Amino acid sequence: MTGPAPSERDLAVLRSFARRIDPSDAGAHNNLGVLYYQKGLVPEAIAGFTRALELDPKMEVAQANLAIAYQNTGYYDTRVAELREALRRQPDDRTARWELGRVFAALGNHTDAIAEFETLLSRHPGDVPALIQLGMAEKARGGMDQASEWFRRAAERDPESSIAQFYYGESLYNRGLNDAALEGLARAVRLNPDNADAHYLLAFVHGDMGQHEQARAATKRALALNPTLGRAQANLSVEDRRSQAIRRRSTLEAMRPQVAEGEMLAHFNLGLAFRQKGYYVEALREYRLALDSGEDRRLTLQAMAEVHLIRRDIAAALELYDGLVQEFPDSPKLWNERAVCLHQANRRDEAAAGYARATANDPHYGLAWNNLGVLRSQLNDIEGAQEAFQTALRGKRDLAAARLNLALLLFQQRRFQMALEAYRQVLADHPQNAVAWNGIGLVLVELKRYPDAKNAFARAVEADDKLASAHYNLSFTLSHLGDFDGALRETKRALELEPYYVPQKYALAIDLQYEDPNLSITPEISADVHAEEVGEEFNFDQRLLDQLFTELEPTAPGTEAARTSGSGSALSAALPGDDLLAMARDQLSKGFIDRAAGEVDRAIQRGADPVRAAVLQGEVFTRRGFHGEALERFREARLVRTDDPEARLGELRALLALDRGAEAAPLAEELIAMRPTDVDALVAGARARMAGGNALGALEYVRTAQARAPGRPDLFQLQAAVCSRLGDTGGAMAAYQAALELDAAIPQVWYELGHLQEQEGRHAEARGSYERALDILPTFSQATLALGDLYRRTGQSATALELLIPLLEQDPYDFDALVLLGRALLDQARADKAAEAFSRVLRFEPDRVEAWYHLGAARNGDRRYAEAVEAWDRVVQLAPTTDYATAARKNARSAKDLAHIFAGREG
């Protein structure tokens, strides 16, 4: 989604909404996400949809909205790439791996999500949040038995967690084990009587068991704790949700973010509900009431126009679109849909102008390019039509309508191999697309491959039994194969759907929320079009069919946990007695940040300690990465209670995260004076002293922390960093060895140890350390680069290349690896190939000094002295005071002398 930046007024309105919504209301977060999306604020919209899903995982409208926001904007690919880059550089970054798993899970990519959370679990077997996420991912993909096992392990690992017990009880209920579920949920309520979700689910269990009084009491208690549950859908059938999600994802390209139920836009939302059921007359009535009630005028008029267009009431639709485009002339969606109305009315010149206006407003608006391609195909402008379809696909690669239209155009031009490939690409994203299977069948009939054609038409009929053309085509093919009974059966079914044969048609595309209307246009390309005939020399790729009929078959997670979850310090442990914030702490320790935020707000309303609440709010912001907001909350707490240790620790951590070490150092000293034996405070104090340049003082705090927690390898890793800062190489190596004795499976420690060994000239030991890091984590690219560079510098360039080439095959844009590859090639006197590597880096990073320097060396090796001098001069311009510049000046002088000598000889 693209568009102009929101105005200050729009931003003020959005901020007002964000401040006023109930933080525990999933629908409110979803609706705020819709508003953000409509204003082009994609990251904020994704945050809203994600929070809605965390609060209510059963909220399909938020699930669909999140998928649209991720996939239609490219944000998903960008975010995954960022997280993978963070893990490439720091494979033990739990936060990045956690978020990557959550991103995969949010879009239903549960296999990849499970892989990320299992990696977390392999590092820390007691990681309760990872156990819970594994259970949720397994549940989402239908593996209820395995999900129940993950939840059971989480509940056993943290027996005092009401959250873990709730998930275990819910999994038992979903498996139909009501007695066991009742016991598990009752335990969750005993552990924390404020667990509204447990009370709410208990009501269902009691109801299923005929215990209606208990069910009513549980429901009443749940709604008293969390009134938003009364607006949630109580659909606990995993399979039903999963199948609905699959159906919803299959039509994402025709959707836009949806508004959840609520008091705002009541008639508009009811109109959407009627549209969802196909009740268009009732929908129009609600939209008129929405206008009368003063609800959003543009949204309502646009929705009314869409309904008229779907019903083929072109005159009524055009009347509304004419007014809308005058009032909102910058909307490509409105211009496109108005043009579709004109196109349907056979007013082609006006339709063409409308499509042109849509693409002028947004050159990447693929729907309008697709429709323009259909129009050009009707006018027999084959090249123009093909160009329009390809432009649509460049802006929106997964736009199935454009690819299907392009495939049909290629088919009509008898370019069968290309048509078949286009249909195959549709099926790669949409394996059950009936039109694509029908098109493949048509291609195969033209190639006289009737048995394969029969299979394709059968797949089309299986995907959509109401596609009349597929039934007709299957009938013809069966008749050709001699199956006359089958042909008669398919003919009868086709006649029930359409009394006449229906050819493959071009499809117009509009951006609708629920419907997938048939906006097809019968092709008018002349049958006399001259195209190349299929001769005996035609080379058909049988592997395409093998792939189509096999690969595209439909496919029907105590103490250590708290530490690894990043939930905070021992200072934040739950307080004894009736603690109104205990539920929020439990949620936060399990990684449910948004649920924790809602629990904190509800606890405040019920009289929770304001200082404890402010500290928890600060921890919520810290977990979200908003360290400035967190700092404000911790300081608010300290204004009320100056010497509160939790608030001090939170403020200290926030200052360190904001690189404000000078402010952090005195606060650290005060905190440790108050809590001299608290390990997390000592660690924060050590980091503050390091930031202030007091490495010796940092070492003092690290050793005190080690005395209190001798079994934590991360403390020895921190000690090694401090010793390195002090120049104590022996001490650093001893600290790394101590960390590995506690846990030998930390790749980052092996990598850092190898780096230190290499600095000391202990190359064999360094090589062994890097190899151990790669044995533990083969995708650890920094260790691969370090090992490759070590091989290169010790005269083993061929071995270095063997490491680097597979790395670059996986990531061709790893520029550090490319530079190292070029240097290894230079060592082998392959200057031309080395220059190619350096030039590739410089195409993307034109100011990379290292690449320019070595490019000069490569050109000099090829006796291309002028180019070498030019490269070295560039080094001097970019970094005149560096060692590279000093060497470049010297080399440039030598190259000029050589150029003069060789020029003299040639003369």
Side-chain angles (χ1 to χ4, degrees):
M1 177 176 176
T2 58
S7 65
E8 283 300 319
R9 178 183 176 278
D10 288 339
L11 289 173
V13 170
L14 290 170
R15 293 189 191 104
S16 175
F17 278 133
R19 284 193 299 268
R20 287 185 291 156
I21 65 173
D22 182 347
S24 61
D25 187 341
H29 283 292
N30 175 79
N31 294 348
L32 182 62
V34 173
L35 294 175
Y36 279 132
Y37 188 88
Q38 291 170 345
K39 296 300 181 181
L41 301 172
V42 175
E44 292 82 356
I46 287 172
F49 300 141
T50 302
R51 288 171 186 168
L53 278 173
E54 181 177 306
L55 294 167
D56 182 5
K58 300 180 288 294
M59 191 176 188
E60 294 185 6
V61 64
Q63 176 72 66
N65 288 345
L66 180 63
I68 294 165
Y70 264 136
Q71 295 179 343
N72 288 7
T73 63
Y75 189 86
Y76 172 81
D77 293 332
T78 301
R79 188 62 183 139
V80 169
E82 290 173 350
L83 293 170
R84 282 181 166 157
E85 175 63 16
L87 290 170
R88 185 181 74 83
R89 296 187 177 279
Q90 187 72 5
D92 285 336
D93 186 342
R94 185 189 187 281
T95 301
R97 195 171 299 282
W98 172 273
E99 188 173 347
L100 183 58
R102 292 293 296 271
V103 169
F104 286 142
L107 283 192
N109 189 354
H110 301 299
T111 299
D112 286 346
I114 287 171
E116 297 302 329
F117 291 121
E118 284 182 337
T119 300
L120 285 177
L121 204 62
S122 69
R123 292 289 300 113
H124 300 285
D127 191 335
V128 174
L131 285 166
I132 291 176
Q133 290 297 325
L134 280 165
M136 294 174 69
E138 284 289 356
K139 182 178 74 169
R141 70 177 186 179
M144 287 309 306
D145 290 343
Q146 184 59 49
S148 188
E149 176 61 20
W150 288 124
F151 291 137
R152 183 193 64 76
R153 288 178 57 182
E156 287 184 353
R157 187 71 187 184
D158 192 354
E160 299 305 312
S161 169
S162 179
I163 301 299
Q165 291 294 332
F166 163 74
Y167 277 111
Y168 182 43
E170 184 190 40
S171 70
L172 294 170
Y173 175 66
N174 281 320
R175 293 168 60 194
L177 305 174
N178 285 347
D179 291 333
L182 184 63
E183 180 181 348
L185 293 169
R187 175 168 173 74
V189 169
R190 287 196 303 272
L191 287 168
N192 194 322
D194 294 340
N195 191 333
D197 290 330
H199 285 289
Y200 197 59
L201 186 54
L202 264 176
F204 286 92
V205 179
H206 283 307
D208 286 357
M209 300 175 72
Q211 301 166 1
H212 303 298
E213 287 298 324
Q214 293 94 323
R216 279 191 287 271
T219 300
K220 183 178 179 180
R221 177 60 175 157
L223 296 181
L225 289 167
N226 185 1
T228 63
L229 289 172
R231 299 193 292 271
Q233 295 182 1
N235 176 11
L236 299 173
S237 170
V238 173
E239 289 302 318
D240 287 346
R241 287 200 303 273
R242 184 168 179 260
S243 60
Q244 289 168 10
I246 292 171
R247 288 196 299 274
R248 193 178 296 275
R249 284 197 296 273
S250 69
T251 56
L252 276 178
E253 70 180 36
M255 297 172 63
R256 66 168 181 268
Q258 311 164 36
V259 178
E261 292 186 10
E263 295 179 1
M264 297 175 59
L265 304 176
H267 290 292
F268 178 82
N269 284 336
L270 189 54
L272 290 182
F274 280 127
R275 283 176 64 174
Q276 201 170 12
K277 299 292 186 181
Y279 302 150
Y280 296 123
V281 174
E282 291 81 358
L284 288 170
R285 182 186 67 239
E286 289 301 323
Y287 289 145
R288 295 187 188 99
L289 290 172
L291 290 174
D292 294 338
S293 302
E295 295 180 18
D296 192 297
R297 179 173 171 276
R298 175 181 177 177
L299 282 178
T300 305
L301 289 175
Q302 182 175 304
M304 292 177 71
E306 291 170 351
V307 171
H308 286 309
L309 177 53
I310 294 167
R311 299 179 68 203
R312 302 248 178 186
D313 188 352
I314 301 301
L318 263 177
E319 181 179 356
L320 289 170
Y321 280 120
D322 285 342
L324 284 166
V325 296
Q326 292 300 316
E327 192 170 355
F328 308 101
D330 296 328
S331 170
K333 170 181 165 58
L334 293 175
W335 281 107
N336 178 63
E337 289 168 15
R338 178 178 179 273
V340 168
C341 293
L342 295 166
H343 199 158
Q344 298 278 55
N346 210 32
R347 294 160 62 178
R348 296 179 177 174
D349 291 340
E350 293 172 80
Y355 295 141
R357 183 65 181 270
T359 57
N361 286 345
D362 183 356
H364 303 294
Y365 196 68
L367 305 180
W369 280 112
N370 170 78
N371 299 341
L372 184 60
V374 174
L375 184 60
R376 288 174 176 174
S377 72
Q378 289 181 276
L379 300 174
N380 206 20
D381 179 7
I382 306 304
E383 291 184 1
Q386 184 170 338
E387 179 183 0
F389 294 141
Q390 290 172 339
T391 303
L393 291 168
R394 281 195 294 272
K396 188 170 171 40
R397 190 198 68 80
D398 62 343
L399 183 57
R403 202 170 294 283
L404 288 170
N405 288 335
L406 176 60
L408 179 57
L409 183 70
L410 294 167
F411 169 76
Q412 291 169 340
Q413 295 301 297
R414 304 186 68 78
R415 299 165 70 179
F416 297 129
Q417 189 80 43
M418 295 178 66
L420 193 65
E421 175 61 20
Y423 283 127
R424 188 197 65 79
Q425 290 180 32
V426 174
L427 292 171
D429 293 328
H430 309 283
Q432 295 302 308
N433 190 294
V435 176
W437 283 114
N438 187 63
I440 285 173
L442 293 173
V443 172
L444 296 171
V445 166
E446 290 294 322
L447 299 176
K448 305 188 185 308
R449 301 177 67 92
Y450 297 108
D452 290 326
K454 179 193 75 171
N455 293 337
F457 292 133
R459 290 293 296 271
V461 169
E462 179 185 353
D464 185 0
D465 186 59
K466 295 183 179 180
L467 186 62
S469 58
H471 286 284
Y472 276 116
N473 293 329
L474 181 56
S475 170
F476 301 154
T477 306
L478 290 173
S479 178
H480 191 90
L481 293 171
D483 183 1
F484 300 108
D485 291 338
L488 180 60
R489 180 187 68 248
E490 294 302 321
T491 299
K492 288 180 178 179
R493 177 59 178 149
L495 289 171
E496 291 172 3
L497 297 168
E498 281 283 347
Y500 301 102
Y501 174 72
V502 183
Q504 191 98 318
K505 297 180 180 180
Y506 290 102
L508 299 177
I510 60 176
D511 182 18
L512 292 183
Q513 182 167 355
Y514 295 109
E515 303 86 351
D516 186 13
N518 179 15
L519 299 177
S520 57
I521 299 290
T522 303
E524 298 185 15
I525 297 179
S526 169
D528 296 328
V529 170
H530 294 288
E532 56 191 23
E533 295 292 329
V534 180
E536 293 181 357
E537 73 280 5
F538 180 80
N539 182 21
F540 181 77
D541 189 353
Q542 176 64 33
R543 291 173 298 175
L544 284 178
L545 285 186
D546 294 337
Q547 183 177 1
L548 286 169
F549 291 109
T550 56
E551 293 183 9
L552 295 179
E553 286 290 330
T555 59
T559 303
E560 181 180 89
R563 177 172 63 79
T564 57
S565 69
S567 59
S569 95
L571 294 173
S572 298
L575 300 177
D578 182 19
D579 185 2
L580 295 174
L581 292 165
M583 193 66 195
R585 286 191 181 89
D586 199 359
Q587 296 279 16
L588 191 60
S589 72
K590 304 304 179 292
F592 298 120
I593 303 172
D594 298 300
R595 293 190 200 178
E599 290 289 346
V600 172
D601 276 31
R602 284 194 292 273
I604 290 172
Q605 294 168 12
R606 285 153 44 211
D609 183 324
V611 173
R612 301 271 70 72
V615 169
L616 265 181
Q617 287 175 327
E619 292 184 8
V620 166
F621 281 116
T622 296
R623 296 289 295 278
R624 288 175 176 165
F626 301 152
H627 300 291
E629 294 277 1
L631 182 62
E632 290 183 13
R633 299 304 183 278
F634 293 129
R635 285 182 167 172
E636 286 174 8
R638 285 231 297 146
L639 285 175
V640 178
R641 198 171 298 158
T642 305
D643 294 330
D644 186 86
E646 291 186 41
R648 282 176 176 269
L649 179 61
E651 183 178 353
L652 172 57
R653 286 173 165 168
L655 289 169
L656 289 171
L658 294 168
D659 292 325
R660 292 161 65 176
E663 296 177 61
L667 194 64
E669 305 305 322
E670 295 173 8
L671 176 62
I672 294 172
M674 296 169 57
R675 292 289 183 95
T677 61
D678 185 275
V679 173
D680 291 319
L682 288 164
V683 169
R687 295 190 185 281
R689 283 185 167 181
M690 283 277 285
N694 183 6
L696 194 59
L699 184 59
E700 175 189 352
Y701 281 162
V702 171
R703 285 176 172 161
T704 304
Q706 288 169 332
R708 301 294 303 175
R712 283 180 52 168
D714 61 311
L715 296 180
F716 286 97
Q717 189 175 3
L718 178 58
Q719 179 187 357
V722 176
C723 288
S724 294
R725 180 74 66 87
L726 290 168
D728 181 7
T729 303
M733 287 189 178
Y736 282 132
Q737 293 292 351
L740 292 170
E741 287 175 7
L742 291 170
D743 187 349
I746 309 177
Q748 185 69 27
V749 173
W750 283 110
Y751 166 73
E752 292 175 9
L753 175 60
H755 184 67
L756 195 60
Q757 290 166 335
E758 190 175 355
Q759 287 181 330
E760 292 296 301
R762 298 156 64 172
H763 295 149
E765 295 176 42
R767 183 166 57 248
S769 295
Y770 293 143
E771 289 171 347
R772 285 294 301 275
L774 290 170
D775 288 340
I776 298 166
L777 188 66
T779 58
F780 192 177
S781 63
Q782 278 191 299
T784 303
L785 292 175
L787 182 58
D789 195 35
L790 178 59
Y791 277 128
R792 185 194 66 79
R793 288 186 293 103
T794 54
Q796 302 177 69
S797 297
T799 308
L801 291 174
E802 291 176 4
L803 278 174
L804 295 169
I805 290 172
L807 179 62
L808 285 165
E809 287 175 347
Q810 294 177 7
D811 184 3
Y813 298 97
D814 188 329
F815 300 127
D816 292 335
L818 274 171
V819 169
L820 188 53
L821 178 77
R823 298 188 68 181
L825 291 168
L826 267 180
D827 292 341
Q828 293 189 330
R830 297 164 65 182
D832 55 338
K833 294 296 182 182
E836 289 180 14
F838 298 131
S839 297
R840 179 175 176 79
V841 173
L842 292 169
R843 279 199 297 273
F844 295 93
E845 295 187 353
D847 293 337
R848 184 151 181 162
V849 173
E850 182 185 17
W852 279 113
Y853 178 82
H854 294 300
L855 177 62
R859 294 309 188 198
N860 191 63
D862 276 345
R863 296 187 179 183
R864 296 162 67 171
Y865 301 116
E867 295 178 38
V869 170
E870 182 180 348
W872 284 325
D873 285 347
R874 182 66 172 157
V875 171
V876 175
Q877 293 171 11
L878 290 171
T881 61
T882 62
D883 291 340
Y884 277 119
T886 301
R889 292 187 185 97
K890 178 180 178 181
N891 293 341
R893 287 193 296 270
S894 298
K896 290 175 183 177
D897 291 342
L898 288 171
H900 180 72
I901 291 170
F902 280 104
R905 290 180 179 177
E906 291 173 1

